[in-house]
Amino acid sequence: MKKVGESRESPAGAPQEEFVAGERSTRNRVARSILDHGPSTVAELAGRLGLTQAAVRRHLDALVADDVVEARKQRVYGARTRGRPAKVFALTDCGRDAFEQSYDKLAVDALRWIAEREGGQAVAAFARARVAAQAHAYRKAIEAAGPGKRTEALAKALSADGYAATARSAPLPHKGEQLCQHHCPVVHVAEQFPQLCEAETEIFAELLGTHVQRLATIAHGDGVCTTFIPKLSQNDDRSTNASASTAGRNPA
């Protein structure tokens, strides 16, 4: 769950760390109760958790501020009674994502199903199609970049997709740049299906117009995904070099 309420002052005499930890734990219990029981009123939450309604409201205010829960009008089924509909609190998409998910397992199961029925080439085709769809925004960013800024532009575009990417000069004696991805959102899937990494390497070569070489991947146990992009000479034929990408882990 998110860490919320850390900036609030603790009651007099209470250690700040203990107060914050207690607030966070209770706040998580409130959110968990909504997850387990669905949209809930303040009274329902207070009854389930053994808290006062005032305490529940305080925690809900913090959760709403952090976009973990949102207030809604209670949906009424059948004949409506007099009075205003009760307000209920439900998890937002952001709040729901803070709990356990099975997306990685689902993706692995789907790719394994494809591989068993259609073979590894079908998985590779899926990986290329997936990366190609992502590459539309990357291509626009690269085309808008000035000379010598193409790798940096790609890094920024990748970072917008959660890859925490940076570009830097390659260490000597190599002449070129290194594209470093410090995070991989699909690492658990890529560990079992390296076709995802291979397709990504191919699209980098196409986007940058030169052969590239993958030196390391997080999925293989390395700390950072690192791709070497050699410096282009003025006589380089970009369309020819783009097809010469290599997925090897170590430079020759």
Side-chain angles (χ1 to χ4, degrees):
M1 282 295 301
K2 287 188 174 183
K3 298 179 180 180
V4 295
E6 293 191 18
S7 61
R8 296 174 180 265
E9 294 184 359
S10 60
Q16 178 68 18
E17 294 81 2
E18 293 181 11
F19 172 72
V20 169
E23 290 285 282
R24 188 184 308 142
S25 175
T26 304
R27 214 148 286 166
N28 290 349
R29 288 175 58 213
V30 172
R32 183 77 205 196
S33 184
I34 296 173
L35 176 74
D36 292 339
H37 298 275
S40 306
T41 65
V42 170
E44 290 169 342
L45 288 165
R48 287 198 297 262
L49 299 172
L51 299 171
T52 66
Q53 292 192 27
V56 169
R57 288 192 183 93
R58 177 165 56 84
H59 290 301
L60 286 171
D61 285 344
L63 291 168
V64 169
D66 277 0
D67 193 30
V68 176
V69 304
E70 62 183 0
R72 301 177 181 172
K73 289 183 179 180
Q74 189 173 36
R75 185 174 296 177
V76 178
Y77 299 94
R80 293 189 60 175
T81 58
R82 290 184 177 181
R84 297 171 60 186
K87 182 187 294 185
V88 296
F89 292 85
L91 289 177
T92 63
D93 290 340
C94 177
R96 195 173 296 278
D97 286 345
F99 290 94
E100 302 85 0
Q101 304 289 349
S102 298
Y103 299 140
D104 286 346
K105 185 178 184 303
L106 176 64
V108 169
D109 288 347
L111 289 177
R112 185 177 293 119
W113 187 90
I114 293 172
E116 289 174 352
R117 285 157 179 76
E118 304 295 335
Q121 291 301 316
V123 175
F126 165 81
R128 286 192 292 270
R130 174 184 176 274
V131 175
Q134 288 180 299
H136 178 69
Y138 305 163
R139 182 173 286 105
K140 290 179 63 177
I142 290 171
E143 289 175 351
K149 298 290 186 179
R150 296 165 64 85
T151 304
E152 182 180 347
L154 176 57
K156 290 180 178 179
L158 285 166
S159 293
D161 273 349
Y163 289 88
T166 58
R168 64 187 184 192
S169 297
L172 296 174
H174 303 290
K175 294 182 179 180
E177 298 174 288
Q178 282 187 348
L179 176 67
C180 299
Q181 295 159 263
H182 302 274
H183 177 65
C184 177
V186 296
V187 61
H188 299 301
V189 183
E191 287 172 354
Q192 300 188 47
F193 294 95
Q195 294 96 325
L196 296 177
C197 300
E198 293 163 3
E200 187 179 73
T201 305
E202 291 173 6
I203 204 70
F204 287 172
E206 178 186 329
L207 291 171
L208 296 172
T210 183
H211 71 280
V212 304
Q213 187 170 17
R214 185 58 64 89
L215 306 181
T217 64
I218 296 173
H220 196 272
D222 301 299
V224 179
C225 293
T226 306
T227 305
F228 174 65
I229 299 102
K231 184 177 181 179
L232 285 170
S233 69
Q234 294 182 347
N235 295 325
D236 279 333
D237 182 348
R238 289 179 180 269
S239 62
T240 301
N241 288 339
S243 64
S245 66
T246 59
R249 289 173 42 79
N250 298 304

